[in-house]
Amino acid sequence: MKLEKVALVGSGNWGSAIAKIIGNNVQLYPEFDNEVKMWVYEEFINGQKLTDIINEKNENVKYLPGIKLSSNIKAVPDLLETVRDATILVFVIPHQFVKGVCNQLKGQILPHAKAISLIKGFDVNETGICPMTEVIAKTLNINVSSLSGANIANEIAEENFSETTIGYRVREEGELYKRLFETPYFRVGIIDDVIGVELCGALKNVVAIAAGIIDGLRLGDNAKAAIIRIGLLEMKKFVQTFYRGIKEETFFESCGIADVITTSYGGRNRRVAEAFVITRKPFEHLEKELLAGQKLQGTLTAQEINHVLRRKGLENEYKLFTTVYRIAYQGLPPERLVKEII
Ligand SMILES: NC(=O)c1ccc[n+]([C@@H]2O[C@H](COP(=O)([O-])OP(=O)(O)OC[C@H]3O[C@@H](n4cnc5c(N)ncnc54)[C@H](O)[C@@H]3O)[C@@H](O)[C@H]2O)c1
Ligand SMILES: O=P(O)(O)OC[C@H](O)CO
């Protein structure tokens, strides 16, 4: 039997948590090769290469400290070496880096490789939005599935119970990925809606910024619930406006309502937005100050959404998305959030 060989493109907070799961699961199923290469965007920690530290300690001390990875996870600083012999590419990098990474991978992967994107974000162009699965699929000419859910990486790394959703086009691939990712504490649902799953994951980051603003303003839980409800409606309308064939059920999977809730209470976007209201420091300063190298996705996504809405004359139909953009980029006082969306 030809074995499936997995490569991880990314090793941040979520990338490392998922490496822990994949490292264990490839050893449980005979269809997978036991060695998993993980691409690390190289950096130095106290003069030592992060890749060397990960390989020596089996721990990503910068992005997921205190969590052991199995020794079959091999940190590799060379992107092309990471993917050269892989049949499954797991993309898990902040969305702003995907185009650059894919351009480097062009012509450098196995022709029969396939991919799954765990990324929460999208790109935009003159005509509208470009989901990450489409950027990857078009650049590399391969089939791409998506995985997204109510998944705060640190909680999953601690093996606390959670669920996730895989969006597939080819059912066998959905089932293969379920075996690769599922554990007793990380339950995987699969649905044939690649774009719906991934766009929910991208858009919820903007709702999380609004939720953090509500927290910073100390407006309480009822206000937060209202933001979650309004945000979910805007997410649904946005996805269904820009894409045909998105399933209604997708919004009730982990990638939909559950992710909006978790992100509005426990995520990095929420935390940084709350700090923004309290300190009034710019988001990019707070990202550096509070996230220790991890990346904030919600403000950038608000900007990308606004680019599309403005071009289409739809800003007024998405009041929450538009107001988050104006607060983050145009100096609108956060106190105006509620007034602008009612
Ligand atoms: N952290 C979570 O809880 C979580 C959960 C679910 C989904 N996600 C999503 O997964 C994706 C990856 O998030 P993460 O938490 O693993 O990353 P992260 O926020 O920890 O990001 C930092 C990563 O980006 C890398 N990086 C920095 N500059 C780079 C460059 N120029 N090119 C390539 N890589 C560079 C860093 O080396 C590091 O690995 C994001 O889309 C995020 O929204 C995150
Ligand atoms: O920490 P955040 O805000 O990037 O959110 C993390 C996950 O996406 C929550 O599901």
Short mmCIF file of all heavy atoms in Angstrom, two decimals, residues 205-267:
data_model
loop_
_atom_site.label_atom_id
_atom_site.label_comp_id
_atom_site.label_asym_id
_atom_site.label_seq_id
_atom_site.Cartn_x
_atom_site.Cartn_y
_atom_site.Cartn_z
N ASN A 205 -13.66 36.25 12.77
CA ASN A 205 -12.60 37.05 13.39
C ASN A 205 -12.99 38.52 13.51
O ASN A 205 -12.55 39.22 14.41
CB ASN A 205 -11.29 36.92 12.59
CG ASN A 205 -10.59 35.59 12.86
OD1 ASN A 205 -10.76 34.99 13.91
ND2 ASN A 205 -9.82 35.12 11.90
N VAL A 206 -13.84 38.99 12.59
CA VAL A 206 -14.30 40.39 12.65
C VAL A 206 -15.35 40.52 13.77
O VAL A 206 -15.36 41.51 14.51
CB VAL A 206 -14.89 40.82 11.29
CG1 VAL A 206 -15.32 42.27 11.33
CG2 VAL A 206 -13.86 40.59 10.19
N VAL A 207 -16.20 39.53 13.90
CA VAL A 207 -17.20 39.53 14.98
C VAL A 207 -16.46 39.54 16.33
O VAL A 207 -16.87 40.22 17.28
CB VAL A 207 -18.14 38.32 14.86
CG1 VAL A 207 -19.21 38.37 15.95
CG2 VAL A 207 -18.78 38.25 13.47
N ALA A 208 -15.35 38.80 16.39
CA ALA A 208 -14.56 38.73 17.63
C ALA A 208 -14.00 40.10 18.01
O ALA A 208 -13.93 40.44 19.20
CB ALA A 208 -13.42 37.73 17.48
N ILE A 209 -13.63 40.88 17.02
CA ILE A 209 -13.13 42.24 17.31
C ILE A 209 -14.28 43.06 17.93
O ILE A 209 -14.09 43.76 18.94
CB ILE A 209 -12.62 42.93 16.02
CG1 ILE A 209 -11.44 42.17 15.41
CG2 ILE A 209 -12.27 44.40 16.31
CD1 ILE A 209 -10.10 42.35 16.06
N ALA A 210 -15.46 42.94 17.34
CA ALA A 210 -16.62 43.68 17.89
C ALA A 210 -16.91 43.21 19.32
O ALA A 210 -17.18 44.03 20.21
CB ALA A 210 -17.84 43.47 16.99
N ALA A 211 -16.81 41.91 19.56
CA ALA A 211 -17.07 41.38 20.91
C ALA A 211 -16.05 41.93 21.91
O ALA A 211 -16.39 42.27 23.05
CB ALA A 211 -17.01 39.84 20.88
N GLY A 212 -14.80 42.03 21.48
CA GLY A 212 -13.76 42.58 22.35
C GLY A 212 -14.01 44.05 22.66
O GLY A 212 -13.74 44.51 23.79
N ILE A 213 -14.53 44.77 21.69
CA ILE A 213 -14.85 46.19 21.92
C ILE A 213 -15.96 46.29 22.97
O ILE A 213 -15.90 47.11 23.89
CB ILE A 213 -15.25 46.87 20.58
CG1 ILE A 213 -14.01 46.96 19.67
CG2 ILE A 213 -15.86 48.25 20.83
CD1 ILE A 213 -14.28 47.43 18.26
N ILE A 214 -16.95 45.43 22.84
CA ILE A 214 -18.04 45.40 23.84
C ILE A 214 -17.47 45.13 25.24
O ILE A 214 -17.84 45.78 26.22
CB ILE A 214 -19.08 44.31 23.45
CG1 ILE A 214 -19.82 44.70 22.16
CG2 ILE A 214 -20.04 43.99 24.59
CD1 ILE A 214 -20.74 45.89 22.28
N ASP A 215 -16.53 44.19 25.32
CA ASP A 215 -15.91 43.88 26.62
C ASP A 215 -15.13 45.08 27.14
O ASP A 215 -15.19 45.41 28.33
CB ASP A 215 -14.98 42.67 26.49
CG ASP A 215 -15.76 41.37 26.40
OD1 ASP A 215 -16.96 41.37 26.69
OD2 ASP A 215 -15.16 40.34 26.02
N GLY A 216 -14.38 45.73 26.24
CA GLY A 216 -13.59 46.89 26.64
C GLY A 216 -14.48 48.02 27.15
O GLY A 216 -14.11 48.75 28.07
N LEU A 217 -15.66 48.12 26.57
CA LEU A 217 -16.61 49.17 27.00
C LEU A 217 -17.41 48.75 28.23
O LEU A 217 -18.21 49.53 28.74
CB LEU A 217 -17.58 49.49 25.84
CG LEU A 217 -16.96 50.10 24.57
CD1 LEU A 217 -17.98 50.13 23.44
CD2 LEU A 217 -16.43 51.51 24.86
N ARG A 218 -17.21 47.50 28.67
CA ARG A 218 -17.91 46.95 29.85
C ARG A 218 -19.43 46.99 29.67
O ARG A 218 -20.16 47.38 30.58
CB ARG A 218 -17.52 47.70 31.14
CG ARG A 218 -16.02 47.75 31.40
CD ARG A 218 -15.45 46.39 31.77
NE ARG A 218 -14.00 46.45 32.02
CZ ARG A 218 -13.08 45.79 31.30
NH1 ARG A 218 -13.42 45.04 30.26
NH2 ARG A 218 -11.80 45.86 31.60
N LEU A 219 -19.87 46.56 28.48
CA LEU A 219 -21.32 46.61 28.21
C LEU A 219 -22.05 45.33 28.59
O LEU A 219 -23.27 45.25 28.48
CB LEU A 219 -21.56 46.94 26.73
CG LEU A 219 -21.14 48.35 26.31
CD1 LEU A 219 -21.45 48.60 24.84
CD2 LEU A 219 -21.85 49.41 27.16
N GLY A 220 -21.30 44.31 29.00
CA GLY A 220 -21.96 43.13 29.56
C GLY A 220 -22.33 42.05 28.57
O GLY A 220 -22.12 42.16 27.35
N ASP A 221 -22.93 40.99 29.12
CA ASP A 221 -23.18 39.78 28.34
C ASP A 221 -24.34 39.89 27.36
O ASP A 221 -24.35 39.26 26.31
CB ASP A 221 -23.44 38.60 29.29
CG ASP A 221 -22.15 38.17 29.97
OD1 ASP A 221 -21.06 38.48 29.42
OD2 ASP A 221 -22.22 37.56 31.05
N ASN A 222 -25.36 40.69 27.71
CA ASN A 222 -26.48 40.83 26.76
C ASN A 222 -26.00 41.51 25.48
O ASN A 222 -26.36 41.11 24.36
CB ASN A 222 -27.61 41.69 27.36
CG ASN A 222 -28.24 41.03 28.57
OD1 ASN A 222 -28.15 39.82 28.74
ND2 ASN A 222 -28.89 41.82 29.41
N ALA A 223 -25.16 42.53 25.67
CA ALA A 223 -24.63 43.25 24.50
C ALA A 223 -23.77 42.30 23.66
O ALA A 223 -23.83 42.31 22.43
CB ALA A 223 -23.82 44.46 24.95
N LYS A 224 -22.99 41.47 24.34
CA LYS A 224 -22.13 40.54 23.61
C LYS A 224 -22.98 39.54 22.82
O LYS A 224 -22.68 39.21 21.68
CB LYS A 224 -21.20 39.81 24.57
CG LYS A 224 -20.22 38.89 23.87
CD LYS A 224 -18.81 39.35 23.98
CE LYS A 224 -18.24 38.86 25.21
NZ LYS A 224 -17.15 38.30 25.55
N ALA A 225 -24.05 39.05 23.45
CA ALA A 225 -24.93 38.12 22.75
C ALA A 225 -25.54 38.78 21.51
O ALA A 225 -25.70 38.14 20.45
CB ALA A 225 -26.04 37.64 23.69
N ALA A 226 -25.86 40.06 21.63
CA ALA A 226 -26.43 40.78 20.48
C ALA A 226 -25.40 40.87 19.35
O ALA A 226 -25.71 40.67 18.17
CB ALA A 226 -26.87 42.19 20.91
N ILE A 227 -24.14 41.12 19.73
CA ILE A 227 -23.06 41.19 18.72
C ILE A 227 -22.92 39.84 18.02
O ILE A 227 -22.76 39.75 16.80
CB ILE A 227 -21.72 41.59 19.41
CG1 ILE A 227 -21.77 43.04 19.85
CG2 ILE A 227 -20.52 41.32 18.51
CD1 ILE A 227 -21.89 44.07 18.76
N ILE A 228 -22.99 38.76 18.81
CA ILE A 228 -22.87 37.42 18.24
C ILE A 228 -24.00 37.16 17.24
O ILE A 228 -23.79 36.67 16.14
CB ILE A 228 -22.86 36.35 19.37
CG1 ILE A 228 -21.54 36.46 20.15
CG2 ILE A 228 -23.08 34.95 18.84
CD1 ILE A 228 -21.47 35.62 21.42
N ARG A 229 -25.23 37.54 17.62
CA ARG A 229 -26.38 37.31 16.75
C ARG A 229 -26.27 38.15 15.46
O ARG A 229 -26.38 37.63 14.35
CB ARG A 229 -27.68 37.67 17.48
CG ARG A 229 -28.96 37.28 16.76
CD ARG A 229 -30.19 37.95 17.37
NE ARG A 229 -30.23 39.38 17.10
CZ ARG A 229 -30.68 39.92 15.96
NH1 ARG A 229 -31.14 39.14 15.01
NH2 ARG A 229 -30.67 41.22 15.80
N ILE A 230 -26.00 39.43 15.64
CA ILE A 230 -25.90 40.31 14.46
C ILE A 230 -24.72 39.88 13.58
O ILE A 230 -24.81 39.83 12.35
CB ILE A 230 -25.75 41.79 14.91
CG1 ILE A 230 -27.02 42.25 15.65
CG2 ILE A 230 -25.46 42.71 13.72
CD1 ILE A 230 -26.86 43.55 16.44
N GLY A 231 -23.63 39.55 14.24
CA GLY A 231 -22.43 39.13 13.49
C GLY A 231 -22.68 37.88 12.67
O GLY A 231 -22.29 37.79 11.51
N LEU A 232 -23.36 36.91 13.29
CA LEU A 232 -23.64 35.66 12.58
C LEU A 232 -24.52 35.92 11.36
O LEU A 232 -24.32 35.35 10.28
CB LEU A 232 -24.30 34.66 13.53
CG LEU A 232 -24.48 33.25 12.97
CD1 LEU A 232 -23.13 32.57 12.70
CD2 LEU A 232 -25.28 32.38 13.94
N LEU A 233 -25.51 36.81 11.52
CA LEU A 233 -26.37 37.14 10.38
C LEU A 233 -25.58 37.79 9.25
O LEU A 233 -25.78 37.48 8.08
CB LEU A 233 -27.50 38.08 10.82
CG LEU A 233 -28.63 37.46 11.64
CD1 LEU A 233 -29.66 38.52 12.02
CD2 LEU A 233 -29.30 36.32 10.87
N GLU A 234 -24.67 38.69 9.62
CA GLU A 234 -23.85 39.33 8.56
C GLU A 234 -22.93 38.31 7.89
O GLU A 234 -22.72 38.33 6.67
CB GLU A 234 -23.05 40.51 9.13
CG GLU A 234 -23.93 41.70 9.43
CD GLU A 234 -23.20 43.03 9.59
OE1 GLU A 234 -22.00 43.14 9.27
OE2 GLU A 234 -23.85 43.98 10.06
N MET A 235 -22.39 37.39 8.68
CA MET A 235 -21.53 36.35 8.10
C MET A 235 -22.29 35.54 7.07
O MET A 235 -21.83 35.29 5.95
CB MET A 235 -21.06 35.39 9.21
CG MET A 235 -20.00 35.95 10.12
SD MET A 235 -19.74 34.92 11.61
CE MET A 235 -19.37 33.32 10.91
N LYS A 236 -23.51 35.15 7.45
CA LYS A 236 -24.34 34.30 6.60
C LYS A 236 -24.70 35.04 5.30
O LYS A 236 -24.59 34.51 4.20
CB LYS A 236 -25.60 33.94 7.39
CG LYS A 236 -26.43 32.84 6.83
CD LYS A 236 -27.33 32.29 7.95
CE LYS A 236 -28.35 31.34 7.41
NZ LYS A 236 -29.44 31.98 6.67
N LYS A 237 -25.12 36.30 5.48
CA LYS A 237 -25.51 37.09 4.31
C LYS A 237 -24.31 37.30 3.37
O LYS A 237 -24.43 37.18 2.16
CB LYS A 237 -26.04 38.44 4.81
CG LYS A 237 -26.54 39.35 3.71
CD LYS A 237 -27.31 40.49 4.34
CE LYS A 237 -27.29 41.72 3.47
NZ LYS A 237 -27.98 42.85 4.06
N PHE A 238 -23.15 37.58 3.96
CA PHE A 238 -21.95 37.83 3.17
C PHE A 238 -21.58 36.58 2.36
O PHE A 238 -21.38 36.64 1.15
CB PHE A 238 -20.81 38.23 4.09
CG PHE A 238 -19.56 38.66 3.39
CD1 PHE A 238 -19.34 39.99 3.06
CD2 PHE A 238 -18.58 37.74 3.03
CE1 PHE A 238 -18.17 40.41 2.42
CE2 PHE A 238 -17.41 38.14 2.39
CZ PHE A 238 -17.21 39.47 2.09
N VAL A 239 -21.53 35.45 3.05
CA VAL A 239 -21.12 34.21 2.38
C VAL A 239 -22.10 33.86 1.28
O VAL A 239 -21.72 33.52 0.16
CB VAL A 239 -21.02 33.05 3.41
CG1 VAL A 239 -20.75 31.74 2.72
CG2 VAL A 239 -19.93 33.34 4.44
N GLN A 240 -23.41 33.98 1.59
CA GLN A 240 -24.41 33.58 0.60
C GLN A 240 -24.53 34.59 -0.54
O GLN A 240 -24.98 34.25 -1.63
CB GLN A 240 -25.75 33.31 1.29
CG GLN A 240 -25.65 32.03 2.15
CD GLN A 240 -26.89 31.70 2.97
OE1 GLN A 240 -27.68 32.59 3.31
NE2 GLN A 240 -27.05 30.43 3.32
N THR A 241 -24.13 35.85 -0.30
CA THR A 241 -24.13 36.85 -1.37
C THR A 241 -22.99 36.59 -2.35
O THR A 241 -23.15 36.71 -3.57
CB THR A 241 -23.97 38.27 -0.78
OG1 THR A 241 -25.07 38.52 0.07
CG2 THR A 241 -23.93 39.34 -1.86
N PHE A 242 -21.84 36.21 -1.81
CA PHE A 242 -20.67 36.09 -2.68
C PHE A 242 -20.45 34.69 -3.23
O PHE A 242 -19.66 34.51 -4.15
CB PHE A 242 -19.42 36.62 -1.97
CG PHE A 242 -19.48 38.12 -1.82
CD1 PHE A 242 -19.87 38.71 -0.63
CD2 PHE A 242 -19.20 38.93 -2.91
CE1 PHE A 242 -19.96 40.09 -0.52
CE2 PHE A 242 -19.28 40.31 -2.81
CZ PHE A 242 -19.67 40.89 -1.61
N TYR A 243 -21.12 33.70 -2.64
CA TYR A 243 -20.96 32.32 -3.11
C TYR A 243 -22.28 31.60 -3.24
O TYR A 243 -23.12 31.71 -2.35
CB TYR A 243 -20.03 31.54 -2.17
CG TYR A 243 -18.60 31.69 -2.59
CD1 TYR A 243 -17.83 32.73 -2.12
CD2 TYR A 243 -18.05 30.85 -3.55
CE1 TYR A 243 -16.53 32.93 -2.56
CE2 TYR A 243 -16.76 31.03 -4.00
CZ TYR A 243 -16.01 32.06 -3.50
OH TYR A 243 -14.74 32.25 -3.95
N ARG A 244 -22.46 30.86 -4.34
CA ARG A 244 -23.65 30.02 -4.49
C ARG A 244 -23.38 28.65 -3.88
O ARG A 244 -22.25 28.21 -3.84
CB ARG A 244 -23.94 29.81 -5.98
CG ARG A 244 -24.43 31.06 -6.64
CD ARG A 244 -25.56 30.73 -7.63
NE ARG A 244 -25.97 31.96 -8.27
CZ ARG A 244 -25.48 32.37 -9.43
NH1 ARG A 244 -24.62 31.63 -10.10
NH2 ARG A 244 -25.87 33.53 -9.94
N GLY A 245 -24.44 28.01 -3.42
CA GLY A 245 -24.33 26.61 -3.00
C GLY A 245 -23.82 26.43 -1.58
O GLY A 245 -23.48 25.31 -1.19
N ILE A 246 -23.76 27.52 -0.82
CA ILE A 246 -23.32 27.38 0.58
C ILE A 246 -24.48 26.77 1.36
O ILE A 246 -25.63 27.20 1.25
CB ILE A 246 -22.97 28.77 1.16
CG1 ILE A 246 -21.86 29.44 0.35
CG2 ILE A 246 -22.61 28.66 2.65
CD1 ILE A 246 -20.55 28.72 0.30
N LYS A 247 -24.17 25.79 2.17
CA LYS A 247 -25.23 25.06 2.88
C LYS A 247 -25.68 25.80 4.14
O LYS A 247 -24.85 26.31 4.89
CB LYS A 247 -24.72 23.67 3.27
CG LYS A 247 -24.53 22.74 2.10
CD LYS A 247 -24.42 21.32 2.62
CE LYS A 247 -24.96 20.31 1.65
NZ LYS A 247 -24.28 20.25 0.38
N GLU A 248 -27.00 25.80 4.33
CA GLU A 248 -27.59 26.39 5.54
C GLU A 248 -27.02 25.70 6.80
O GLU A 248 -26.70 26.35 7.80
CB GLU A 248 -29.12 26.17 5.45
CG GLU A 248 -29.95 27.02 6.34
CD GLU A 248 -30.02 28.49 5.93
OE1 GLU A 248 -29.69 28.85 4.79
OE2 GLU A 248 -30.38 29.28 6.83
N GLU A 249 -26.89 24.36 6.73
CA GLU A 249 -26.43 23.59 7.91
C GLU A 249 -25.03 23.99 8.36
O GLU A 249 -24.67 23.85 9.53
CB GLU A 249 -26.36 22.07 7.61
CG GLU A 249 -27.59 21.47 7.05
CD GLU A 249 -27.50 21.39 5.53
OE1 GLU A 249 -27.01 20.39 4.99
OE2 GLU A 249 -27.96 22.37 4.89
N THR A 250 -24.23 24.48 7.43
CA THR A 250 -22.84 24.82 7.77
C THR A 250 -22.78 25.80 8.94
O THR A 250 -21.92 25.70 9.81
CB THR A 250 -22.13 25.41 6.53
OG1 THR A 250 -22.19 24.44 5.49
CG2 THR A 250 -20.67 25.74 6.81
N PHE A 251 -23.76 26.73 8.97
CA PHE A 251 -23.74 27.77 10.01
C PHE A 251 -24.07 27.20 11.39
O PHE A 251 -23.88 27.86 12.40
CB PHE A 251 -24.70 28.91 9.64
CG PHE A 251 -24.26 29.59 8.35
CD1 PHE A 251 -24.79 29.20 7.13
CD2 PHE A 251 -23.29 30.56 8.38
CE1 PHE A 251 -24.37 29.79 5.96
CE2 PHE A 251 -22.85 31.16 7.21
CZ PHE A 251 -23.40 30.78 5.99
N PHE A 252 -24.59 25.96 11.41
CA PHE A 252 -24.92 25.33 12.70
C PHE A 252 -23.91 24.25 13.09
O PHE A 252 -24.07 23.58 14.09
CB PHE A 252 -26.34 24.76 12.65
CG PHE A 252 -27.35 25.85 12.42
CD1 PHE A 252 -27.82 26.12 11.15
CD2 PHE A 252 -27.76 26.66 13.47
CE1 PHE A 252 -28.70 27.16 10.92
CE2 PHE A 252 -28.64 27.71 13.25
CZ PHE A 252 -29.11 27.96 11.97
N GLU A 253 -22.86 24.12 12.28
CA GLU A 253 -21.76 23.22 12.64
C GLU A 253 -20.78 23.96 13.56
O GLU A 253 -20.93 25.17 13.80
CB GLU A 253 -21.03 22.76 11.36
CG GLU A 253 -21.87 21.92 10.42
CD GLU A 253 -22.19 20.53 10.98
OE1 GLU A 253 -21.45 20.04 11.84
OE2 GLU A 253 -23.21 19.96 10.54
N SER A 254 -19.75 23.26 14.00
CA SER A 254 -18.76 23.91 14.87
C SER A 254 -18.16 25.14 14.20
O SER A 254 -17.88 26.16 14.85
CB SER A 254 -17.66 22.90 15.22
OG SER A 254 -16.68 23.53 16.02
N CYS A 255 -17.96 25.07 12.89
CA CYS A 255 -17.33 26.20 12.17
C CYS A 255 -18.23 27.45 12.14
O CYS A 255 -17.75 28.54 11.83
CB CYS A 255 -17.01 25.79 10.74
SG CYS A 255 -18.48 25.36 9.78
N GLY A 256 -19.50 27.30 12.46
CA GLY A 256 -20.43 28.43 12.38
C GLY A 256 -20.68 29.04 13.74
O GLY A 256 -19.79 29.65 14.35
N ILE A 257 -21.89 28.82 14.24
CA ILE A 257 -22.30 29.44 15.50
C ILE A 257 -21.32 29.16 16.65
O ILE A 257 -20.99 30.05 17.44
CB ILE A 257 -23.75 29.00 15.87
CG1 ILE A 257 -24.19 29.54 17.23
CG2 ILE A 257 -23.94 27.51 15.85
CD1 ILE A 257 -24.43 31.02 17.25
N ALA A 258 -20.83 27.91 16.73
CA ALA A 258 -19.96 27.56 17.87
C ALA A 258 -18.67 28.37 17.83
O ALA A 258 -18.18 28.82 18.88
CB ALA A 258 -19.64 26.06 17.85
N ASP A 259 -18.13 28.58 16.65
CA ASP A 259 -16.89 29.35 16.57
C ASP A 259 -17.12 30.82 16.91
O ASP A 259 -16.29 31.46 17.56
CB ASP A 259 -16.25 29.21 15.18
CG ASP A 259 -14.76 29.61 15.19
OD1 ASP A 259 -14.23 29.86 16.28
OD2 ASP A 259 -14.16 29.66 14.11
N VAL A 260 -18.26 31.35 16.49
CA VAL A 260 -18.52 32.77 16.83
C VAL A 260 -18.59 32.93 18.34
O VAL A 260 -18.08 33.90 18.91
CB VAL A 260 -19.84 33.27 16.18
CG1 VAL A 260 -19.98 34.76 16.41
CG2 VAL A 260 -19.87 32.99 14.70
N ILE A 261 -19.19 31.96 19.00
CA ILE A 261 -19.29 32.05 20.48
C ILE A 261 -17.90 31.95 21.11
O ILE A 261 -17.49 32.81 21.89
CB ILE A 261 -20.22 30.95 21.04
CG1 ILE A 261 -21.67 31.20 20.58
CG2 ILE A 261 -20.15 30.91 22.57
CD1 ILE A 261 -22.63 30.07 20.88
N THR A 262 -17.15 30.92 20.74
CA THR A 262 -15.86 30.71 21.43
C THR A 262 -14.91 31.88 21.19
O THR A 262 -14.22 32.36 22.08
CB THR A 262 -15.23 29.36 21.03
OG1 THR A 262 -14.43 28.90 22.08
CG2 THR A 262 -14.40 29.41 19.78
N THR A 263 -14.92 32.36 19.96
CA THR A 263 -14.00 33.44 19.61
C THR A 263 -14.39 34.74 20.31
O THR A 263 -13.53 35.55 20.66
CB THR A 263 -13.98 33.59 18.06
OG1 THR A 263 -12.76 34.19 17.69
CG2 THR A 263 -15.12 34.41 17.52
N SER A 264 -15.68 34.92 20.55
CA SER A 264 -16.15 36.15 21.21
C SER A 264 -15.88 36.14 22.71
O SER A 264 -16.00 37.15 23.37
CB SER A 264 -17.66 36.34 20.96
OG SER A 264 -17.88 36.52 19.59
N TYR A 265 -15.54 34.96 23.22
CA TYR A 265 -15.22 34.87 24.66
C TYR A 265 -13.74 34.61 24.92
O TYR A 265 -13.18 35.17 25.86
CB TYR A 265 -16.09 33.79 25.33
CG TYR A 265 -17.48 34.32 25.56
CD1 TYR A 265 -18.48 34.15 24.61
CD2 TYR A 265 -17.78 35.05 26.71
CE1 TYR A 265 -19.74 34.69 24.78
CE2 TYR A 265 -19.04 35.59 26.90
CZ TYR A 265 -20.02 35.41 25.94
OH TYR A 265 -21.25 35.96 26.12
N GLY A 266 -13.11 33.78 24.09
CA GLY A 266 -11.76 33.32 24.46
C GLY A 266 -10.64 33.60 23.49
O GLY A 266 -9.50 33.22 23.76
N GLY A 267 -10.92 34.26 22.37
CA GLY A 267 -9.89 34.37 21.33
C GLY A 267 -8.96 35.56 21.45
O GLY A 267 -9.17 36.46 22.27
#
